[in-house]
Amino acid sequence: MFPFWNDIAAGSLDALARIHKLAALQSGPPAAVAQTPSEVVYTENKLRLLRYRSENRVHPSPILLVPSIINRYYILDLKPGRSLAGFLVARGYDVWIVDWGVPGPEDRFVTLDEHIDGHLRECVGVVLDETGRNSLTLLGYCIGGVLASIFSALHSETVRNLVTLTTPIDFHDDGLLSLWARREHFPVDRLVDAYGNMPAWLLGASFKLLSPTSDLANTWTLWERLDDPARLDDFRALNRWVEDNVSVAGEAYRKFVVDCYQENLLVQNRMRINGRAVNLGDIRAPLLNVVAQRDHIAPCGSAAVLNELAGSRDATLLSLDGGHIGAIVGRDAVEDFWPRLDAWLAERSA
Amino acid sequence: MPQDPLQFYKSLFDTWQRPATEFWDAALRSPLYLEPLKSALDSSLITQKTLQDFSEAWQHAWGLATRRDWEMVQHRLNQIDTQLRRLNRRVDKLAG
């Protein structure tokens, strides 16, 4: 009898101490993110082009990281030890990243064509001019991978290598997101006409609804990690990013949803950017396509199809255990995926 | 009884989470959920757009600039600024 009550009492005291810690975390400063030293090399509208200079550059070919337009760029520079940008810099690469910024209400008129054939194209131009090279490696994450793939198809001469991380290409898959975004379920035209931009809060709510039990699971994870400062910090940094959705420029969002999710034009090589047809077969650069086996945003099959469609002679499909985010920046990714990415890039970045 | 009550709750939570996730996945795919959601979203967006259109028509009638007008002007200014930056970069490049 006594040992049981002792357990309850000890457990209750421990729980009180944890609640106190949780409250302190809630009222304290947010987790520090994007700490790898960088400089802003170019800006236009809300976009910033950042450069992470390597002190021991080994590989002359620059790498341009292209994050998604619906989240902040710092998922690729989360925190020391969990920064893909920092890792690549330490391995001797000249790393650049596109920070798409946060669209204002006036950016409702910015199109997907402008994102790809304007902003991204200009960033590629700046990187090539600054480094004196005539081609670079494009590494896109999620929707950033879609933009990088389309850009590589349209401007293959400037792309030395293409790396796509958990990038949806065939949008008619069996995932919830694909189902919800179909024309019969999602009035995207009405939404953009009414709101201008796709609001960040609505995007955030939709992603939470994809996995309704995740908030509870996250709370439990936070509770468990309260005694482990390093893992707690990892969790808080990642959670800060997950909660940090940004609005998406209205016209860009409309075209992305209609052309990709509703009409599935990209996979049929029927999508058009600035009047030019996007033929994924025009991607000639060596391709590393990374898919995650438990990805509910870009399901494996939806992402893996790029290897069949791209015209690259050197195409590698890397299937990782994990979800959309964990497989790319999780603890296992740091130890397993990142070194494999480095090995693939090193062979092709001379 | 369990030695660590927290671990006991954790095992209960894990046991609950898998069927709960499966239930929600099925529920969120169901027409019983999707059709009313689409109707509610449609109604709310149509109402919002109608009110906006009415407000803009009223402002235009008084010769006032609407929010959309201001957004378009700001967008045009941003476009000009962007073009100037791109042009400036090309001039710098040509100048060596």
Side-chain angles (χ1 to χ4, degrees), chain A residues 238-268:
Chain A
L238 192 57
N239 210 43
R240 176 176 170 182
W241 178 80
V242 168
E243 301 289 338
D244 199 4
N245 285 107
V246 292
S247 301
V248 183
E251 292 307 322
Y253 183 76
R254 189 199 307 263
K255 176 159 178 154
F256 185 74
V257 170
V258 172
D259 283 12
C260 295
Y261 276 102
Q262 297 186 340
E263 304 293 335
N264 206 16
L265 297 180
L266 184 58
V267 78
Q268 304 169 56

Side-chain angles (χ1 to χ4, degrees), chain B residues 41-65:
Chain B
L41 196 57
D42 265 338
S43 314
S44 119
L45 293 173
I46 289 168
T47 308
Q48 186 168 338
K49 187 72 172 61
T50 307
L51 289 173
Q52 274 175 13
D53 289 348
F54 176 76
S55 163
E56 287 187 1
W58 186 85
Q59 284 172 285
H60 274 146
W62 285 91
L64 300 169

Side-chain angles (χ1 to χ4, degrees), chain A residues 130-208:
Chain A
E130 292 283 326
T131 56
R133 309 286 298 185
N134 53 21
S135 63
L136 48 60
T137 295
L138 270 184
L139 183 152
Y141 174 53
C142 188
I143 295 174
V146 178
L147 306 187
S149 300
I150 294 173
F151 182 88
S152 301
L154 293 175
H155 305 286
S156 60
E157 69 286 355
T158 55
V159 182
R160 185 184 180 93
N161 302 298
L162 173 64
V163 181
T164 49
L165 310 180
T166 55
T167 295
I169 296 291
D170 180 355
F171 289 82
H172 284 183
D173 53 57
D174 59 355
L176 260 182
L177 205 55
S178 172
L179 179 70
W180 288 352
R182 300 281 171 93
R183 189 176 293 280
E184 60 270 29
H185 299 137
F186 185 46
V188 64
D189 288 324
R190 285 203 174 116
L191 191 138
V192 173
D193 290 344
Y195 279 105
N197 290 330
M198 173 60 173
W201 64 266
L202 191 51
L203 271 176
S206 311
F207 281 109
K208 278 196 190 300

Side-chain angles (χ1 to χ4, degrees), chain A residues 173-342:
Chain A
D173 53 57
D174 59 355
L176 260 182
L177 205 55
S178 172
L179 179 70
W180 288 352
R182 300 281 171 93
R183 189 176 293 280
E184 60 270 29
H185 299 137
F186 185 46
V188 64
D189 288 324
R190 285 203 174 116
L191 191 138
V192 173
D193 290 344
Y195 279 105
N197 290 330
M198 173 60 173
W201 64 266
L202 191 51
L203 271 176
S206 311
F207 281 109
K208 278 196 190 300
L209 204 54
L210 279 177
S211 177
T213 60
S214 63
D215 267 357
L216 267 176
N218 283 344
T219 308
W220 192 267
T221 307
L222 178 62
W223 184 270
E224 284 185 315
R225 292 187 179 183
L226 277 172
D227 294 331
D228 185 342
R231 297 192 72 198
L232 177 64
D233 200 39
D234 285 355
F235 176 85
R236 291 184 67 228
L238 192 57
N239 210 43
R240 176 176 170 182
W241 178 80
V242 168
E243 301 289 338
D244 199 4
N245 285 107
V246 292
S247 301
V248 183
E251 292 307 322
Y253 183 76
R254 189 199 307 263
K255 176 159 178 154
F256 185 74
V257 170
V258 172
D259 283 12
C260 295
Y261 276 102
Q262 297 186 340
E263 304 293 335
N264 206 16
L265 297 180
L266 184 58
V267 78
Q268 304 169 56
N269 292 327
R270 289 172 51 218
M271 191 168 172
R272 300 187 83 83
I273 294 293
N274 276 343
R276 288 179 64 193
V278 179
N279 183 351
L280 294 173
D282 290 338
I283 298 175
R284 303 284 175 206
L287 167 69
L288 174 63
N289 186 15
V290 181
V291 302
Q293 288 159 16
R294 285 180 281 128
D295 193 335
H296 62 290
I297 293 172
C300 245
S302 160
V305 74
L306 182 60
N307 283 61
E308 296 163 25
L309 297 171
S312 315
R313 285 187 192 160
D314 173 7
T316 308
L317 180 66
L318 180 56
S319 180
L320 302 173
D321 185 26
H324 189 70
I325 304 166
I328 304 303
V329 295
R331 197 165 277 257
D332 291 344
V334 176
E335 290 164 8
D336 176 45
F337 165 52
W338 292 4
R340 290 162 80 178
L341 171 65
D342 170 40

